[in-house]
C-alpha cells in the first residue's frame, strides 16, 4: 500500500465514528523501490491530496525526510520538492502492518501490501 | 489496447471471476474512448470490483504509453485482490489494491478522474448476494440485479473529479434507462456508449459525467 492510497482511506463508515481520518499507520514491513519520476504528474496530483495527512503518514513510518510540513507555494516549478513528494507518494510502500481508526482504535490489517478494510455487520 | 496476460489456475477460478464477455466489452469501450481519456490526462483511476484485474490492467497499460497515472483497484474478495495485484505485476503496471466493500472506506474529495465498475449484475434473490461462497459475489445482483451497484451510485459524484468519467457495465434486466434517470437526479449526465448481445444477455456500457 502506497501512502497515496492511505491518503484516500477513511474509517468514517464505522458506527459511532464521525471523521475517521486520517488513519494511523503501524508499519511492520516497508518496501522502498524506484519508480520513474514525472514532475508534471506529481504537480497535478498534489492538489488532490490532503497534505497534512501525507506528511503525518510519512513521518509516522520514518520516511518524511526533508518534506516540509506545509505545502510550499510554487510547487509546480520546484523539481527538488516534487522529487521528495514523488518518493513518499509512490516509492514507499507498507507491506505488512495495520491502519488504525483515529477515533475507535479499530485495526485494519495490511498483509502483502493489501489493506483489509472490510467491516463486520455490527460495525456499520 | 493490448489485452493483458491473465493467468488463473483451476484453484483461482473457484473464487475469482474469470474474464468474460462483459470484461471484454468494458475494455473495448475504454479503448474506443482512449483518445478522449488521453486528452483529459487522468492522474487517478479507480476500479471497483476488479476481479482478475483484467480491466484496470488493460487501462493502465494503455495509459502508461502516454502519461503517468495512479491506479487503485478494490474488491471485496481477498483472492481477487491478490490476483489483481499479480495480473498488474505480470503486465508491468503499478496498481495499488484494497480489500473493501464497494467505496465504504474511500474518502470523499472529488479526486478520481476515471472510475470503472463491472458489478455483479445478474438478477437473483437478495439472499444470494450474501451466499457463503465468495464467487456468488462476482455475479449475484439481487432484485433487478441492481442491489449491489446501486449502493455506489450516490457516492460517485463525491469521489469523481469534476471533469471525471464513470464507466458502468449493466444488462437489459438492470433497466439502463432507469439507471440513467437515477444519475440525472445526482446531477450527472449519462449515455449508452456500447452494447453487445451474447447468449441470453444484452450488455450495455453506460458512461457518466458531471453536469458543469
Ligand atoms: C462481474 S465481476 C467483474 C470482475 C472484473 N472487473 C472483470 O470485469 O472481469 C464483479 C466483481 O465485483 C466484486 N464485488 C462484488 N461485490 C462487491 C462489493 N460489495 N465490494 C467490492 N467488490 C465487490 C466481485 O468480487 C467481482 O470480482
Amino acid at each position: 500500500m502506497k501512502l497515496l492510497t492511505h491518503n484516500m482511506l477513511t474509517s468514517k463508515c464505522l458506527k459511532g465514528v464521525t471523521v475517521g481520518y486520517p488513519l494511523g499507520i503501524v508499519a511492520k514491513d516497508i518496501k522502498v523501490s524506484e519508480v520513474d519520476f514525472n514532475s508534471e504528474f506529481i504537480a497535478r496530483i498534489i492538489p488532490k491530496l490532503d497534505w497534512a495527512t501525507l506528511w503525518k503518514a510519512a513521518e509516522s513510518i520514518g520516511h518524511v525526510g526533508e518534506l516540509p510540513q506545509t505545502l510550499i507555494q510554487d510547487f509546480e516549478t520546484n523539481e527538488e520538492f516534487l522529487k521528495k513528494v514523488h518518493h513518499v507518494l509512490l516509492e514507499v510502500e507498507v507491506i505488512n502492518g495495520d491502519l488504525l481508526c483515529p477515533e475507535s482504535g479499530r485495526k485494519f490489517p495490511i498483509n502483502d501490501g493489501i489493506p483489509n478494510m472490510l467491516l463486520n455487520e455490527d460495525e456499520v | 489496447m493490448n489485452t493483458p496476460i491473465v493467468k488463473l489456475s483451476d484453484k483461482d477460478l473457484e473464487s475469482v471471476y474469470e474474464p468474460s464477455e462483459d470484461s471484454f466489452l468494458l475494455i473495448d469501450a475504454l479503448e474506443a474512448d482512449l483518445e478522449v481519456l488521453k486528452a483529459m490526462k487522468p492522474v487517478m483511476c479507480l476500479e471497483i470490483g476488479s476481479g482478475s484485474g483484467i480491466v484496470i490492467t488493460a487501462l493502465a497499460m494503455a495509459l502508461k504509453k502516454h502519461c503517468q497515472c495512479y491506479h487503485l483497484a478494490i474488491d471485496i474478495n481477498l483472492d481477487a485482490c491478490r490476483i489483481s495485484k499479480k495480473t498488474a505485476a505480470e503486465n508491468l503496471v503499478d496498481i495499488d489494491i484494497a480489500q473493501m466493500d464497494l467505496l465504504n472506506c474511500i474518502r470523499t474529495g472529488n479526486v478520481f478522474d476515471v472510475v470503472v465498475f463491472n458489478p455483479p449484475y445478474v438478477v437473483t434473490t437478495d439472499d444470494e448476494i450474501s451466499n457463503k461462497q465468495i464467487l456468488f459475489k462476482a455475479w449475484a445482483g439481487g432484485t433487478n440485479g441492481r442491489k449491489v451497484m446501486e449502493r455506489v451510485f450516490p457516492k460517485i459524484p463525491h469521489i469523481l473529479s469534476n471533469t471525471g468519467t464513470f464507466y458502468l457495465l449493466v444488462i437489459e434486466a438492470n433497466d439502463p434507462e432507469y439507471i440513467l434517470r437515477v444519475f440525472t437526479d445526482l446531477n450527472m449526465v449519462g449515455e449508452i456508449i456500447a452494447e453487445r448481445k451474447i447468449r441470453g444477455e444484452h450488455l450495455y456500457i453506460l458512461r457518466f459525467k458531471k453536469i458543469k
Side-chain angles (χ1 to χ4, degrees), chain B residues 49-63:
Chain B
S50 59
S52 64
I54 187 167
V55 179
I56 187 120
T57 300
L59 180 65
M61 286 162 70
L63 290 174

Side-chain angles (χ1 to χ4, degrees), chain B residues 62-82:
Chain B
L63 290 174
K64 190 179 159 185
K65 295 184 197 128
H66 182 76
C67 54
Q68 201 176 348
C69 193
Y70 158 82
H71 299 272
L72 176 62
I74 288 172
D75 207 291
I76 197 166
N77 173 355
L78 181 59
D79 292 337
C81 292
R82 290 205 181 110

Side-chain angles (χ1 to χ4, degrees), chain B residues 77-194:
Chain B
N77 173 355
L78 181 59
D79 292 337
C81 292
R82 290 205 181 110
I83 298 288
S84 287
K85 202 176 157 77
K86 184 169 143 242
T87 299
E90 276 179 358
N91 292 281
L92 307 176
V93 291
D94 198 3
I95 296 175
D96 236 18
I97 321 278
Q99 185 184 12
M100 197 185 297
D101 182 3
L102 300 175
L103 300 173
N104 260 358
C105 297
I106 296 290
R107 73 167 162 96
T108 55
N110 308 118
V111 296
F112 291 100
D113 302 302
V114 179
V115 177
V116 296
F117 190 18
N118 174 8
Y121 54 69
V122 177
V123 178
T124 62
T125 62
D126 289 353
D127 302 346
E128 278 175 282
I129 299 174
S130 32
N131 189 293
K132 275 201 218 54
Q133 262 177 285
I134 191 79
L135 196 53
F136 270 63
K137 290 239 185 295
W139 51 268
T143 317
N144 304 118
R146 283 201 306 260
K147 267 276 147 92
V148 179
M149 64 173 97
E150 65 191 1
R151 281 171 48 213
V152 302
F153 294 168
K155 294 190 177 175
I156 296 295
H158 301 288
I159 63 147
L160 201 64
S161 68
N162 290 337
T163 53
T165 313
F166 173 50
Y167 295 89
L168 177 70
L169 183 137
V170 301
I171 58 168
E172 185 75 41
N174 304 146
D175 195 350
E177 292 299 330
Y178 169 84
I179 294 170
L180 291 172
R181 284 199 299 279
V182 169
F183 275 86
T184 310
D185 293 337
L186 295 169
N187 215 14
M188 291 185 65
V189 51
E191 58 182 316
I192 295 169
I193 57 162

Side-chain angles (χ1 to χ4, degrees), chain A residues 1-2 4-5 7-10 13 21 36 38 40-41 44-45 48 50 112 115-118, chain B residues 40-41 43-44 68-70 72 76 85 94 96-101 104-107 111 113 161:
Chain A
M1 186 203 67
K2 296 183 197 297
L4 181 46
T5 300
N7 212 273
M8 302 301 145
L9 298 178
T10 167
C13 50
Y21 189 84
D36 288 342
N38 176 325
E40 190 198 348
F41 169 63
R44 294 186 61 218
I45 218 157
K48 294 176 182 277
D50 184 298
D112 297 327
N116 177 351
M117 306 303 296
L118 292 185
Chain B
M40 83 184 251
K41 289 202 184 169
V43 289
M44 292 186 54
Q68 201 176 348
C69 193
Y70 158 82
L72 176 62
I76 197 166
K85 202 176 157 77
D94 198 3
D96 236 18
I97 321 278
Q99 185 184 12
M100 197 185 297
D101 182 3
N104 260 358
C105 297
I106 296 290
R107 73 167 162 96
V111 296
D113 302 302
S161 68

